[in-house]
Amino acid sequence: MDGMGKGTVTPLASLFPVEESQKAAKRVQDTIAEKEKELDHLRVFIADNNNLINLVQKLPEELHHDIMVPFGKAAFFPGRLIHTNEFLVLLGEGYYADRTSKQTIEVLRRRGKSLESQVNSLEAIIKDHKAEASFFIATASEAAGGLVEIREDYVEENPSKQDLKSGPLKQDVSGLAGAERETTSVDDKEFARMMARLDELEEEERAAERGNLDDENEGAISDFDEISYQRPSDNNLQNSEDIQRRMALKQTNDIATKFPKEHKYQDDMADHFGSLALQSQVRELSEGKTMAKNLKNSDASEMSTIYPEEKIVHATNTSKAEVQYQASRPSDDSQKASTSSTVGHADHTQRNSRKEDSTSSQVGCQTSEPSFDSRRAFTGSIIEHAENLPKTSGEQNSSSSLVSGSQPSKPVSRFKMQRR
Amino acid sequence: MDRLRQEKILKFEEFVDQRLKPDLVRAIAERDKVFEQQKIFSDLRRNIENLEKSSVTSLKTLVNIGSEVYLQAEVPDTQHIFVDIGLGFHVEFTWSEALNYITQREERLKRQLEEYTQLIASIKAQIKLVYEGIRELLQLPAEKPFPERTF
């Protein structure tokens, strides 16, 4: 049992000291005694009342009654009762009423009822007090007897939950560490969402690209606005991650400069995207869109690498990326690049949403890597994970370009078109 | 030494609280009873004197038959009055006899009162004595008598 050894043993005496419980019991008993005295009083009143009722009934039978009339407390006068049917009844507060025998009896009966209700309430109170006293006495005896109270915590085993909790934490902390992270259920959900969104975006991209590059560019501009807007949010994100990613992006950007102008904006976009990466999912989605576009436009080399993250995404992303990439850059070996890029940018978005395990990303990257074989020139190790800056730094030359290219793939493309 | 002293003080205090004070309370209660009796008899005397003055022969009263329910009663002849002389006896008196009796009774009551008053005073004095002893043991400064005004 997990509880063993974790419980606490407390002697009852410590919780309810013997003396105190005895004192409490005594106090309650005193109260009970008082109440019982009052109860006796009331009972006497009721008895008197009943006697009086009988007397009042009997009196009118005679015209006169010989009695000893008291005169003060210590003297009597012999006398007679007259007007035996006339009774002066005290109604309270100095008010009296002349009543006949029957009426007096009714008055007395009503008084008796009120007395009885008082008695009942008093009895109930006494009962409660008695219960209290018995409890105290029992506690006192138990405490004196050395009873012990044992408490054990109920530990619920839920490793998945713990992992979930630790996952994001690790990611936040390590940031670029690219530590292996489990994809939490939450991440899975996010991934699913991301995937759905990406699918939509890919579809749009494809349609747009096929239709008109200019249109795409225009779209890119709008995306760019989005991106620029999103940038400020970056501040909220973990600086380390941002910085690292930005650095990665910069590096990629630097590399990107080698590429044709087309990629210029891609780089910018990449920067943006890099920062955006940290942003929320929603943003990611939009980014994803733009990124997808950028990826498409950027060199295949640039793309790909970033891909950190999540495995789950990778699988779908890669497929999506491929589709997207193909649409955007038929010229590229791009399918692979696109896959990698899309993966990257999917990863990017994923990164933003969750800080996923590097392993997953690694896996994703790995899957993307083979696709990039053609681009090996740039990629070298793609590794990806934006979190793994140190790792990627070496590769960044190759990967950064890919990264920059991959991240903004879709949006950049549009933007590029605009710039042109 | 201190230990002994503490014990002594404790004993004194206990004595005061458990013996003297309850005695005091009881004495005062008894005295109050006597006061009551005295009052009763003085009231009776006054009433009889009033009756005599107004030469009342018969009177109507309201008699309490219990729980404040009154019945009219008539006293045709007020010449004879029954007085409680104690131990459950009532003696039939005429007014003057009654007054006489009441006077004697009142004197007796006064003497009782005096006895009780003395008893109470002695108990109080004992209590004071014990307190003084405790004070000495504790070496507290003695209480100063009220400063008398000197002209």
Side-chain angles (χ1 to χ4, degrees), chain A residues 156-395:
Chain A
E156 210 177 299
E157 296 189 9
N158 202 344
S160 63
K161 277 189 189 168
Q162 290 171 0
D163 289 340
L164 279 170
K165 285 178 203 164
S166 61
L169 285 173
K170 284 183 195 167
Q171 288 175 351
D172 293 340
V173 173
S174 60
L176 309 171
E180 297 188 12
R181 297 178 185 132
E182 300 175 2
T183 52
T184 60
S185 58
V186 176
D187 293 338
D188 291 341
K189 285 178 194 169
E190 289 179 357
F191 273 110
R193 267 180 271 146
M194 292 295 296
M195 293 310 297
R197 186 83 179 111
L198 283 171
D199 288 337
E200 293 173 14
L201 292 173
E202 285 175 9
E203 294 271 314
E204 292 179 19
E205 289 273 69
R206 253 176 279 152
E209 286 175 358
R210 278 166 192 168
N212 196 355
L213 283 176
D214 292 338
D215 294 341
E216 286 180 0
N217 286 339
E218 291 172 1
I221 295 174
S222 62
D223 291 336
F224 184 74
D225 291 340
E226 267 184 332
I227 293 162
S228 55
Y229 177 79
Q230 290 170 352
R231 245 196 167 168
S233 62
D234 292 343
N235 297 334
N236 300 333
L237 296 169
Q238 293 175 355
N239 295 332
S240 62
E241 274 186 310
D242 285 339
I243 293 169
Q244 287 171 346
R245 284 183 188 172
R246 283 187 184 173
M247 285 172 62
L249 288 172
K250 275 187 184 171
Q251 291 175 353
T252 58
N253 289 338
D254 293 339
I255 296 166
T257 54
K258 300 175 191 172
F259 299 100
K261 261 191 185 178
E262 297 178 0
H263 301 291
K264 250 196 188 174
Y265 269 98
Q266 286 181 356
D267 295 339
D268 294 337
M269 302 299 279
D271 278 346
H272 290 303
F273 284 108
S275 59
L276 294 174
L278 300 172
Q279 290 171 3
S280 61
Q281 239 185 347
V282 176
R283 292 184 200 143
E284 291 172 359
L285 285 173
S286 57
E287 287 178 20
K289 207 176 181 178
T290 54
M291 284 173 65
K293 291 179 184 173
N294 290 338
L295 284 172
K296 285 180 187 173
N297 294 331
S298 64
D299 289 346
S301 61
E302 291 183 357
M303 312 202 212
S304 68
T305 48
I306 308 179
Y307 334 109
E309 323 161 69
E310 293 70 337
K311 231 183 179 179
I312 304 172
V313 178
H314 297 308
T316 52
N317 286 341
T318 49
S319 58
K320 283 184 185 174
E322 288 178 19
V323 175
Q324 288 176 347
Y325 209 81
Q326 286 171 357
S328 58
R329 307 189 68 187
S331 59
D332 291 340
D333 306 327
S334 47
Q335 289 191 357
K336 295 181 183 175
S338 63
T339 56
S340 59
S341 62
T342 50
V343 171
H345 107 90
D347 291 342
H348 191 70
T349 56
Q350 290 170 352
R351 240 181 305 163
N352 296 339
S353 57
R354 10 206 168 140
K355 307 151 184 205
E356 310 281 35
D357 296 342
S358 57
T359 49
S360 60
S361 58
Q362 283 173 353
V363 174
C365 295
Q366 288 171 3
T367 54
S368 62
E369 279 179 14
S371 63
F372 276 99
D373 286 346
S374 58
R375 300 197 151 217
R376 273 293 152 94
F378 299 103
T379 53
S381 47
I382 302 185
I383 304 130
E384 65 246 6
H385 319 288
E387 293 97 351
N388 269 340
L389 265 192
K391 256 193 201 178
T392 54
S393 59
E395 310 158 336

Side-chain angles (χ1 to χ4, degrees), chain A residues 45 48-49 52 55-56 59 67-90 96 98 104 108 111, chain B residues 36 40-41 44 47-48 51 59-63 65-85 90 92 95:
Chain A
F45 288 154
D48 281 349
N49 213 32
L52 197 59
L55 184 64
V56 170
L59 277 177
I67 57 164
M68 290 294 277
V69 181
F71 191 68
K73 285 258 174 85
F76 293 94
F77 276 117
R80 283 156 58 185
L81 279 177
I82 55 170
H83 300 161
T84 50
N85 206 29
E86 291 169 23
F87 296 87
L88 191 67
V89 185
L90 174 69
Y96 291 85
D98 265 323
T104 313
L108 291 175
R111 269 193 211 165
Chain B
E36 266 182 56
I40 287 168
F41 276 107
L44 189 61
N47 282 337
I48 290 173
L51 281 179
L59 49 90
K60 269 198 192 159
T61 65
L62 281 171
V63 182
I65 56 171
S67 302
E68 303 294 320
V69 176
Y70 295 91
L71 269 175
Q72 285 186 43
E74 189 201 21
V75 180
D77 179 24
T78 58
Q79 292 302 325
H80 295 277
I81 182 165
F82 289 78
V83 184
D84 175 19
I85 56 171
H90 292 77
E92 189 173 359
W95 284 354

